[in-house]
Amino acid sequence: MAIVFHENTGEFHLYNEHLSYMIKILDNGQLGNLYYGKRLRDRDTFGHLLEGGLKSLAAYVFENDYYFSLQHTKQEYPSYGTTDFRYPAFEIKQENGSAISHFQYESHVIYKGKKKLKGLPATYVEQDSEAVSLEIILYDSVLHSRLVLSYTIYEELPVITRNAKFINHGEQQIRLTRALSAAVDLPDYDFESVHLAGAWSRERHVKYRKLEQGVQSIHSLRGASSAEFNPFLALKRPQADEFAGEVYGFSLVYSGNFLAQVEVDTHHMTRVTLGIHPDHFEWPLQAGETFQTPEAVLVYSNTGLNGMSQAFHRLYRTRLARGKWRDQVRPILINNWEATSFDFDESKVLSIASTAKELGIEMFVLDDGWFGARNNDRAGLGDWYVNREKLPDGIEGLAKKIEALGMKFGLWFEPEMVNKDSDLYRAHPDWIIHTPGRAASPSRNQYVLDYSRKEVVDYIYGLMSNLLRESSISYVKWDMNRYITECYSTAMEASEQGKVFHRYILGVYDLYERLTSEFPNVLFESCSSGGARFDPGILYYAPQTWTSDNTDAIERIKIQYGTSYVYPVSSMGAHVSEVPNQQIGRITSLQTRANVAYFGAFGYELDLNVLHMDEREVVKRQVQFAKKHREFIQQGVFYRLMDPFKGNVAAWIVVSENKSEALAGYYQVLNGVNLEWRRLKLAGLDEQKRYCVNGDQDRIHYGDELMNAGLVIDHRKLCASDADFASILFYLNEV
Ligand code: DGJ
């Protein structure tokens, strides 16, 4: 791994054993991109890769030089209107009304390690030797402003991280109306784009689109990263699949409004831009002020989509997630939401918990409804003190009783929200995000607290931290059940309103930072009506996220499969719930429900007391199985094997780091008659090792057989207990 600067040619080469990324100082002082792809050996110059040429209708940077136009130059962080007509990475409005800028190379620094981003989540290093970083400082002499472009390359991962920082050194106020985290220009457009789209309860379904000249994008303007799109985009070569071929992945470490855009230009070059959505964003910078963009993470894979995902998984599991829980196996929990909704009291809660304890479950999580006048979703949000009618001994008393059973105790909050029917709203009606003189639109009868205001964040911090101090709480589920409408902060000047969406997210991060650092032993799980804020920004604070409110096993196959494009198994909350399933009405076996949920942070979400004794025995065995294998499942290498979006079957496998164990899941949605024979080709095993399948001494195979010939799926066994919605697990251990 290195970052080399070739002074004579003004070229930077960032490389490790996987990739090369090359930047050149252009003749006009701006930064161009020469190459991003598979590792190339270093040379003094790759300047010939900068395509230049006579193009009709192009405008040129210098008089009498018909070859240099930004229109067809691959750039690092382009601006609009100085011969480039594509969408830019940034735009600055000035006092005279102009939006033209020209940042020129001034200096650079290369250093070992990686700096933190102030107030923002970002990937990190534990030792300086893990990565090397480059900061390129550019200056606009008319604006008297600096732009700092930062890059980090990791030693062992095919990853480059980027961010941009603006500093106003001038006298005049400037206004950032677009400040993306990265732009990447690629020389051709022979790609399909891949993104994750959906809605509540069908989050992160995988979508493909062929690139054509023009613009295509995904975005959120909802104040959260959203269930509709995820802040992730990949470009894959058309022939690339899960195991082979070139894939460029782009992910934004951010939880608010975002834009991820691909533009194919007039000469069929591709520009990817990624960052905070420029709509409804405007950031005034007074003299001396700075604006820092969130971090963009770029992954290069020439081992297909699985290669890309594995790089994201490793980076996000080990160098984005933080704290005690990062590397620890996650407790098997039971959550009462689907069992009781708001309708519970202490004895009901304790009866669910004690049965769960008998079956080996380790933690009880009390969901919505324990506070204020919260007996339905019309009241109570914001009043984070216990409802003594339901819980006479308070949270403190309940936590003690749960712990006396031998379990840990976890608690639900929705810290960013308020109901109008609450003491908090009655005391501070101006604390909600709303536009004066306009109606504030409710959603689930609730309103969004104005987290752009420090006093609001401080107040909620006070209530939450008191509870966490007073009671023995080992886990917090942080929910967020609506998007932002009528975005406006009554605490800010008219000219500052373009800051509100971003300031809101900074407020959320601030509260997370305070609570996670003050309570380092607490495991935080984020949630947003299921998976509406499943993004890398939140993973920095909460190492797991409730993947979806949809707990149906068959629906979850698609949701977890899509989520795995970016996010590791350890980050996906996955529970076995009751049947008929509350979201879709489908009946699946306990076995299939667990066979899907094992590939996540495993738990239960039902009243175990209503199960028959034989079903409880099944649960007991499932809990034992999960305990035995969760460490390698949560920390192993995950491969997608068969795509549920393409047919009736799906499969995946997790292989332990040392390849001595693996667990594969195979799922068949509907049964058929007189079916063909099927084989499941595994992946990630050691070709030379011998593996025993499901403890059967007659089924011992070398890794190469399992990966190339595959396992024959015995249809009778697969469907022995389930006709439709059947599933089978293959546990392999080295012998
Ligand atoms: C939405 C979450 O996704 C559910 O798990 C549950 O916590 C409810 N909110 C409670 O209101």
Side-chain angles (χ1 to χ4, degrees):
M1 162 198 63
I3 298 181
V4 180
F5 180 56
H6 296 286
E7 208 158 346
N8 49 341
T9 52
E11 293 177 21
F12 298 91
H13 187 177
L14 293 71
Y15 62 85
N16 61 19
E17 64 171 297
H18 307 282
L19 66 83
S20 281
Y21 189 101
M22 295 173 198
I23 301 164
K24 180 175 176 59
I25 304 167
L26 300 172
D27 289 347
N28 69 342
Q30 284 179 233
L31 296 182
N33 184 287
L34 296 175
Y35 176 80
Y36 171 34
K38 196 168 157 54
R39 160 82 192 268
L40 303 181
R41 83 198 61 194
D42 190 41
R43 285 173 52 180
D44 256 11
T45 183
F46 285 88
H48 54 278
L49 291 175
L50 201 65
E51 288 98 347
L54 194 60
K55 298 282 184 199
S56 297
L57 262 181
Y60 303 104
V61 174
F62 301 119
E63 279 183 17
N64 302 324
D65 177 354
Y66 307 130
Y67 287 83
F68 182 30
S69 170
L70 294 171
Q71 173 172 307
H72 49 70
T73 300
K74 298 186 295 297
Q75 292 164 75
E76 277 306 296
Y77 200 69
S79 65
Y80 166 81
T82 58
T83 76
D84 189 350
F85 301 103
R86 292 169 285 183
Y87 277 97
F90 71 100
E91 194 153 75
I92 299 176
K93 288 258 162 67
Q94 296 140 53
E95 279 177 358
N96 68 359
S98 159
I100 297 298
S101 54
H102 180 38
F103 284 93
Q104 294 179 289
Y105 171 85
E106 186 181 62
S107 62
H108 71 268
V109 253
I110 295 171
Y111 57 89
K112 282 191 176 161
K114 185 174 193 291
K115 286 186 191 162
K116 285 188 163 189
L117 291 192
K118 198 163 171 262
L120 282 167
T123 57
Y124 59 88
V125 292
E126 285 198 332
Q127 312 285 337
D128 279 352
S129 55
E130 291 172 12
V132 52
S133 297
L134 163 69
E135 281 177 19
I136 306 181
I137 297 122
L138 302 115
Y139 188 67
D140 183 314
S141 56
V142 174
L143 295 176
H144 302 296
S145 292
R146 288 203 163 77
L147 165 64
V148 182
L149 298 182
S150 299
Y151 301 79
T152 294
I153 182 163
Y154 278 83
E155 163 90 55
E156 289 186 1
L157 291 167
V159 168
I160 297 226
T161 65
R162 290 186 52 177
N163 69 77
K165 188 165 79 180
F166 295 86
I167 312 158
N168 181 3
H169 297 283
E171 294 299 308
Q172 68 164 315
Q173 184 203 74
I174 57 175
R175 301 179 80 79
L176 291 171
T177 53
R178 189 182 187 95
L180 301 182
S181 298
V184 176
D185 285 352
L186 296 164
D188 67 88
Y189 79 129
D190 188 23
F191 291 109
E192 284 169 357
S193 76
V194 187
H195 67 265
L196 304 173
W200 172 79
S201 266
R202 53 181 165 80
E203 299 90 345
R204 291 172 298 287
H205 282 208
V206 183
K207 307 285 174 188
Y208 292 90
R209 291 197 285 215
K210 193 178 160 5
L211 295 197
E212 284 297 349
Q213 183 173 342
V215 173
Q216 45 175 266
S217 66
I218 54 165
H219 75 279
S220 170
L221 285 170
R222 293 164 194 263
S225 49
S226 89
E228 281 65 21
F229 293 111
N230 198 262
F232 154 79
L233 181 90
L235 296 181
K236 69 180 262 300
R237 295 295 180 190
Q239 63 282 8
D241 60 19
E242 286 288 5
F243 295 97
E246 207 170 38
V247 182
Y248 294 86
F250 303 88
S251 164
L252 186 68
V253 186
Y254 191 58
S255 312
N257 289 350
F258 75 91
L259 174 69
Q261 180 172 291
V262 186
E263 178 173 5
V264 177
D265 71 6
T266 179
H267 301 302
H268 290 164
M269 295 203 292
T270 301
R271 169 169 294 173
V272 178
T273 42
L274 182 68
I276 295 178
H277 203 302
D279 286 3
H280 311 288
F281 168 86
E282 188 167 334
W283 201 276
L285 274 188
Q286 315 297 345
E289 284 184 349
T290 295
F291 181 79
Q292 173 63 61
T293 73
E295 176 169 271
V297 176
L298 282 49
V299 166
Y300 172 76
S301 164
N302 60 3
T303 51
L305 288 159
N306 272 320
M308 172 199 73
S309 300
Q310 287 159 7
F312 278 127
H313 295 173
R314 198 154 145 223
L315 181 71
Y316 287 174
R317 183 173 61 77
T318 66
R319 293 294 179 268
L320 177 66
R322 299 177 300 167
K324 168 181 155 177
W325 287 100
R326 185 189 76 179
D327 301 328
Q328 278 199 19
V329 292
R330 306 295 162 71
I332 296 171
L333 62 84
I334 180 143
N335 176 302
N336 72 310
W337 177 246
E338 289 205 10
T340 66
S341 182
F342 299 102
D343 181 21
F344 60 82
D345 57 20
E346 195 186 78
S347 70
K348 205 176 203 177
V349 160
L350 288 173
S351 87
I352 296 175
S354 60
T355 308
K357 170 63 191 168
E358 277 167 32
L359 304 184
I361 294 172
E362 298 160 308
M363 179 184 281
F364 174 83
V365 175
L366 184 62
D367 210 280
D368 196 353
W370 57 266
F371 49 90
R374 185 76 168 168
N375 296 314
N376 52 49
D377 65 17
R378 290 186 295 279
L381 281 179
D383 297 342
W384 300 111
Y385 25 85
V386 74
N387 178 333
R388 294 225 173 233
E389 276 167 36
K390 287 182 181 174
L391 304 171
D393 294 334
I395 289 298
E396 202 183 342
L398 177 64
K400 277 192 188 138
K401 289 175 200 177
I402 298 281
E403 290 196 339
L405 293 173
M407 299 176 96
K408 297 281 182 202
F409 176 71
L411 194 60
W412 181 96
F413 290 90
E414 194 176 358
E416 298 154 69
M417 299 292 157
V418 67
N419 289 115
K420 283 199 173 170
D421 186 358
S422 68
D423 295 341
L424 174 59
Y425 182 80
R426 283 183 281 271
H428 296 287
D430 60 320
W431 277 12
I432 64 167
I433 290 190
H434 71 289
T435 301
R438 306 267 174 208
S441 308
S443 175
R444 206 196 187 202
N445 307 302
Q446 64 195 54
Y447 299 83
V448 185
L449 287 171
D450 184 355
Y451 266 44
S452 72
R453 295 170 72 164
K454 187 164 180 308
E455 69 272 30
V456 176
V457 177
D458 287 348
Y459 175 82
I460 299 293
Y461 163 77
L463 293 181
M464 287 180 80
S465 59
N466 275 346
L467 265 158
L468 291 169
R469 251 175 251 126
E470 284 162 5
S471 311
S472 188
I473 297 171
S474 304
Y475 160 109
V476 165
K477 179 174 172 186
W478 178 319
D479 207 345
M480 196 283 282
N481 286 303
R482 67 158 290 175
Y483 297 134
I484 296 177
T485 55
E486 294 88 27
C487 185
Y488 190 96
S489 172
T490 50
M492 287 209 256
E493 301 286 321
S495 60
E496 305 262 300
Q497 292 300 325
K499 288 170 136 183
V500 179
F501 271 121
H502 182 53
R503 285 267 301 259
Y504 175 86
I505 288 295
L506 295 180
V508 171
Y509 291 154
D510 177 35
L511 183 57
Y512 257 121
E513 183 66 41
R514 286 199 241 173
L515 293 173
T516 49
S517 41
E518 189 174 337
F519 304 99
N521 294 326
V522 175
L523 170 61
F524 282 76
E525 174 156 347
S526 73
C527 173
S528 175
S529 289
R533 207 165 59 181
F534 200 133
D535 60 62
I538 293 287
L539 279 183
Y540 183 68
Y541 306 97
Q544 61 191 59
T545 295
W546 182 225
T547 312
S548 176
D549 275 349
N550 194 336
T551 50
D552 171 67
I554 298 306
E555 293 286 303
R556 270 297 185 112
I557 295 169
K558 285 186 175 161
I559 295 170
Q560 291 176 209
Y561 194 93
T563 305
S564 80
Y565 271 64
V566 187
Y567 306 99
V569 166
S570 59
S571 68
M572 292 186 224
H575 300 171
V576 172
S577 65
E578 68 175 18
V579 287
N581 178 268
Q582 291 188 7
Q583 290 75 34
I584 198 168
R586 185 180 280 137
I587 296 178
T588 55
S589 66
L590 255 181
Q591 174 179 309
T592 288
R593 279 174 271 159
N595 286 353
V596 177
Y598 288 138
F599 294 85
F602 184 71
Y604 289 82
E605 181 125 0
L606 74 172
D607 186 352
L608 294 166
N609 294 313
V610 302
L611 296 186
H612 297 300
M613 289 318 271
D614 53 341
E615 289 176 313
R616 291 195 205 176
E617 276 310 307
V618 175
V619 170
K620 199 174 194 172
R621 286 199 299 276
Q622 290 177 345
V623 172
Q624 283 163 358
F625 180 87
K627 282 182 182 165
K628 194 159 169 212
H629 301 302
R630 64 183 152 181
E631 183 163 359
F632 89 83
I633 295 176
Q634 287 167 12
Q635 295 172 10
V637 183
F638 181 88
Y639 292 82
R640 291 174 298 272
L641 300 175
M642 297 174 89
D643 186 344
F645 296 98
K646 291 193 176 141
N648 191 42
V649 288
W652 50 44
I653 187 171
V654 184
V655 183
S656 66
E657 288 261 7
N658 63 6
K659 303 192 181 198
S660 65
E661 287 184 281
L663 184 72
Y666 180 90
Y667 312 92
Q668 176 176 279
V669 180
L670 293 181
N671 201 3
V673 177
N674 200 10
L675 292 175
E676 74 279 13
W677 280 271
R678 297 212 193 103
R679 288 194 193 176
L680 174 63
K681 291 186 184 177
L682 304 183
L685 304 173
D686 184 331
E687 294 191 345
Q688 315 293 335
K689 285 187 172 160
R690 292 164 72 234
Y691 295 91
C692 177
V693 182
N694 287 340
D696 182 347
Q697 294 306 312
D698 295 332
R699 294 180 82 186
I700 293 179
H701 306 277
Y702 280 101
D704 63 348
E705 290 172 44
L706 292 167
M707 292 191 289
N708 296 302
L711 279 167
V712 176
I713 301 290
D714 182 337
H715 185 254
R716 272 170 317 165
K717 259 196 195 154
L718 173 68
C719 295
S721 47
D722 298 307
D724 294 332
F725 320 128
S727 65
I728 193 161
L729 290 182
F730 298 102
Y731 169 70
L732 299 114
N733 63 305
E734 184 187 351
V735 288

